[in-house]
Amino acid sequence: MKPYKPSELAVQMMEYLDCPCEVFGPMDDDDALWTAYQNAYAQGRATGFVPVLVKVDATLLECLQINAAKDGDGDQVVLQDIQDYRREMLEHGNESGARYLEQLIQERRQEAIEDEIDWQQEIIGVREQGETCDRFLSYWNYQTKETDEMILARIPAEHPWEVFAWLPMGNWNECPDTPQLMAAARCWYENYGAVPACVSHDELEFILEEPVGDYEAAGRLALEQYAFCPDRVEQCEEDGSVEKLADTLTKSTVWYFWWD
């Protein structure tokens, strides 16, 4: 079998990431991609990097470039700008995740009041059976029925939450900015061992070694995840309330987020 030749866009994204990368072409069975990630995850824990599957996505590259550009003009960003941005985020991205998530929860609650939405019934809901999620979703293209072209990036971050300094995919609409992504990810890593694992321009997935088994902890976590990404509940039929998402979290080793 011939080695896969990366697309021009994949090459541009790897230049931005500036770290060891491997590219995978589309496939109708994700076993090879999943296995490659698992092997990199084990290797990274032993040798000090964080693997992230990055979708080859023009909109994602645009987001990365705009966030790193000193003047906001992503077309003019150069490697030095990217390195400076990365360094700044690593030096100053120390916002308290617990405080940030609690603030978000209060903001969502106030929005519900202003929109005359019944917080308890329409947002929190009742505990019912949710879906199990133990495999990545965001690398699938549901039109082609194959995975998209993907980069497995070995990011030289000291801590898992720092990968967003290399992958500043947010700061648009309700998608959090880089310090906020880092804050939430740090909180969830320290509390649950969750690690950022798969990224596109509007999707983000975390992986953890075992589900959140505690019933009450899952309820609080589901509320944090709703506040962090309301579309995770409001636009996902599988988990259409915070309490149903909580049930999903008690049996899932992959957390999925999507911003419309």
Side-chain angles (χ1 to χ4, degrees):
M1 181 181 298
K2 292 183 179 179
Y4 177 74
K5 182 179 180 180
S7 66
E8 182 179 345
L9 178 58
V11 171
Q12 292 174 342
M13 294 185 71
M14 288 188 288
E15 289 174 351
Y16 179 99
L17 290 167
D18 191 28
C19 68
C21 293
E22 183 177 2
V23 184
F24 294 83
M27 55 187 77
D28 58 13
D29 184 327
D30 68 342
D31 280 351
L33 195 53
W34 178 255
T35 299
Y37 173 81
Q38 293 290 330
N39 290 340
Y41 180 82
Q43 184 184 5
R45 287 175 65 90
T47 60
F49 66 84
V50 182
V52 181
L53 284 165
V54 183
K55 184 176 288 191
V56 178
D57 176 342
T59 304
L60 174 58
L61 178 58
E62 183 180 5
C63 290
L64 303 181
Q65 292 172 329
I66 289 173
N67 280 322
K70 285 184 169 61
D71 59 1
D73 184 355
D75 291 336
Q76 302 300 318
V77 71
V78 297
L79 182 58
Q80 187 61 55
D81 296 333
I82 296 167
Q83 293 173 340
D84 290 346
Y85 177 84
R86 191 174 297 155
R87 190 178 304 109
E88 180 183 357
M89 292 300 102
L90 293 175
E91 290 177 355
H92 302 295
N94 296 312
E95 182 175 352
S96 167
R99 183 168 58 248
Y100 164 63
L101 291 167
E102 178 58 33
Q103 178 184 341
L104 275 183
I105 290 169
Q106 297 308 318
E107 289 176 2
R108 303 301 181 207
R109 193 190 303 268
Q110 183 60 37
E111 289 169 0
I113 292 172
E114 292 173 357
D115 293 337
E116 298 183 347
I117 294 171
D118 189 309
W119 175 261
Q120 192 61 41
Q121 290 191 10
E122 298 183 54
I123 303 298
I124 303 300
V126 296
R127 189 70 60 103
E128 56 183 316
Q129 186 171 355
E131 300 286 333
T132 299
C133 187
D134 56 11
R135 198 89 158 195
F136 298 135
L137 301 173
S138 58
Y139 52 45
W140 284 106
N141 184 314
Y142 292 99
Q143 293 181 326
T144 65
K145 308 299 182 185
E146 293 183 321
T147 60
D148 279 310
E149 185 180 21
M150 299 295 297
I151 298 168
L152 178 56
R154 292 167 169 81
I155 295 179
E158 183 178 358
H159 305 291
W161 59 86
E162 293 174 345
V163 300
F164 295 107
W166 279 259
L167 283 163
M169 49 85 71
N171 197 27
W172 55 271
N173 291 353
E174 289 193 330
C175 188
D177 64 20
T178 303
Q180 293 166 341
L181 288 167
M182 291 174 67
R186 180 173 183 172
C187 182
W188 291 336
Y189 177 75
E190 292 177 344
N191 289 338
Y192 308 104
V195 175
C198 199
V199 173
S200 74
H201 79 272
D202 59 357
E203 293 170 293
L204 169 63
E205 294 182 277
F206 288 74
I207 194 167
L208 54 164
E209 294 187 2
E210 58 184 26
V212 179
D214 182 84
Y215 186 93
E216 290 188 9
R220 170 65 189 189
L221 174 61
L223 185 56
E224 291 176 352
Q225 293 195 4
Y226 165 73
F228 179 72
C229 177
D231 289 337
R232 179 65 183 87
V233 167
E234 294 175 358
Q235 298 202 48
C236 290
E237 294 181 6
E238 295 83 356
D239 295 307
S241 71
V242 169
E243 282 293 301
K244 191 173 182 182
L245 173 58
D247 188 76
T248 289
L249 297 175
T250 64
K251 51 194 175 187
S252 297
T253 53
V254 172
W255 298 347
Y256 174 81
F257 299 94
W258 168 64
W259 289 268
D260 189 4

